[in-house]
Amino acid sequence: MSIWKEDTLLAREVTVNLGPRSYPICIGDALLPETGWLVSHVRLTGRVMVVTNPTVGKLYGEVVRGSLEKAGFTVVWAEIPDGEEFKTLDTASLLYDTAFQNNLDRWSAVIALGGGVVGDVAGFVAATYMRGVPFIQVPTTLLAQVDSSVGGKVAVNHPKGKNIIGAFYQPRLVIADTGTLKSLPPRELKAGMAEVIKYGVIKDAAFFSWLEKNLDRVLALDNAALQQVVEVSCRIKAEVVEADETEQGMRQILNFGHTVGHALESLTNYEVYRHGEAVAIGMVAAARIAVAMGLLPAEEFERLRNLVVRCGLPEAVPDGIDPKLLWTYLHCDKKARGRKVVFVLPRAIGQVIVCDNVVPEVFKQVVR
Ligand code: NAD
Ligand code: GLY
């Protein structure tokens, strides 16, 4: 689908079909100046609270605020500090204060302008302030455009674990302006690519082949290639979320690479890896396990490993990490069922299974 403003093609559209909670994801390379127009088209008016951080606010605050005001919105501006360490209940609490002091009511929308951290906290506030107010995602990192802004997972961290306090709360609208990716530090772009590769492996062999051919264009920030990446990724994520919104079964496949990835992040205190980097290592580890268990042909493993390496992403658990310790960390994951560790393992590019019988010996041998 496409979105037209008068005679100008503004954006491509992917719809997340969830009955009364369905919503459009608008994808284009110059959408921020149209934020107000797009928000008013999902029948919102009045007061909105934009949540961002100083990094993104400095780059894109003026254009977003200007566009919302031009469309008649009263804008409340709320900046939270930049960084995963601020994805906390304390930050959420400050946002509740700002919302309350500025008379946000149950019809006022919360708009997240930023990466996954801003999106997760702002979404958590939208889900809980006055038992839920309309929520809009304006993701500005590749990871947020292809993953965290879609599907309704919102959360803050708890000292005992990441994303422990949260909800499923779908946005009303996602505005993914791929033009914002031009200012992204290269490391963040590469980290986002891990989630993009994930979609090819879990569900779309043709997309994976397209990435193999077009990776250089994507990394060079070619407009058409970036929009293709965001559109296909969002379409795959939407299909999975539509089938299993609250992760009772199929949605688990989105966690490919995340079992080892989350354990590595946690073991290194979230200080060493970007989320996507840890996921890249986790995807290669899961694929190695699949080869060791006779599930995945070695050539398919090599294709995955090559693409990860070509993106400039790490592919191996570093030498300093003790496989035994990593195995114990796997049990602390939200995805662990009882004492069983759940892995998503590829059987081919484009096809995965959920598996809870990986034995520690195979894991340790593979990680070593
Ligand atoms: P992030 O939000 O920390 O952003 C990375 C850095 O890029 C930050 O310093 C940010 O200020 C900066 N930045 C953002 N947009 C920019 C731009 N256009 N130009 C220049 N700098 C920019 O990190 P992230 O990778 O976007 O998100 C990671 C978070 O997302 C984690 O907290 C993770 O748990 C969460 N997440 C959530 C889901 C979900 O489904 N809700 C899925 C995956 C990840
Ligand atoms: N990022 C995993 C999910 O949304 O389910």
Side-chain angles (χ1 to χ4, degrees), residues 334-355:
K334 281 202 301 315
K335 297 180 285 304
R337 282 190 213 128
R339 296 191 52 76
K340 288 200 158 177
V341 180
V342 179
F343 279 91
V344 179
L345 301 180
R347 301 205 61 154
I349 298 296
Q351 196 197 339
V352 287
I353 54 166
V354 176
C355 174

Side-chain angles (χ1 to χ4, degrees), residues 91-259:
T91 301
S93 190
L94 290 172
L95 290 171
Y96 297 135
D97 293 347
T98 306
F100 197 70
Q101 280 153 13
N102 287 281
N103 304 317
L104 260 77
D105 60 25
R106 288 174 52 208
W107 292 270
S108 313
V110 170
I111 301 180
L113 171 68
V117 169
V118 164
D120 278 11
V121 187
F124 180 77
V125 167
T128 46
Y129 181 71
M130 296 197 173
R131 298 200 183 92
V133 297
F135 176 44
I136 289 165
Q137 289 267 22
V138 187
T140 61
T141 62
L142 181 61
L143 181 131
Q145 295 190 353
V146 299
D147 188 2
S148 62
S149 66
V150 176
K153 282 188 181 175
V154 295
V156 292
N157 299 332
H158 182 272
K160 295 277 180 210
K162 200 165 139 71
N163 298 330
I164 292 290
I165 308 164
F168 287 97
Y169 193 70
Q170 302 294 341
R172 293 274 184 96
L173 168 70
V174 180
I175 303 173
D177 183 338
T178 54
T180 61
L181 304 180
K182 310 250 152 129
S183 58
L184 205 56
R187 187 175 175 192
E188 299 296 344
L189 186 83
K190 291 176 192 167
M193 282 308 294
E195 302 283 2
V196 172
I197 294 173
K198 174 187 86 177
Y199 290 119
V201 179
I202 62 171
K203 228 175 173 301
D204 195 333
F207 181 47
F208 191 93
S209 301
W210 182 91
L211 285 171
E212 288 178 313
K213 288 196 193 88
N214 292 279
L215 187 67
D216 295 343
R217 285 175 62 212
V218 179
L219 296 179
L221 300 171
D222 173 89
N223 271 337
L226 280 178
Q227 287 186 44
Q228 182 81 353
V229 157
V230 175
E231 182 179 350
V232 177
S233 301
C234 287
R235 198 171 324 115
I236 295 170
K237 180 148 188 187
E239 273 171 32
V240 175
V241 169
E242 286 163 8
D244 178 20
E245 186 181 0
T246 57
E247 203 169 306
Q248 304 303 307
M250 186 197 184
R251 187 165 177 169
Q252 290 175 88
I253 68 173
L254 294 175
N255 296 327
F256 173 53
H258 287 58
T259 307

Side-chain angles (χ1 to χ4, degrees), residues 249-272:
M250 186 197 184
R251 187 165 177 169
Q252 290 175 88
I253 68 173
L254 294 175
N255 296 327
F256 173 53
H258 287 58
T259 307
V260 170
H262 277 162
L264 256 186
E265 282 183 281
S266 160
L267 191 55
T268 53
N269 280 327
Y270 301 94
E271 283 164 2
V272 177

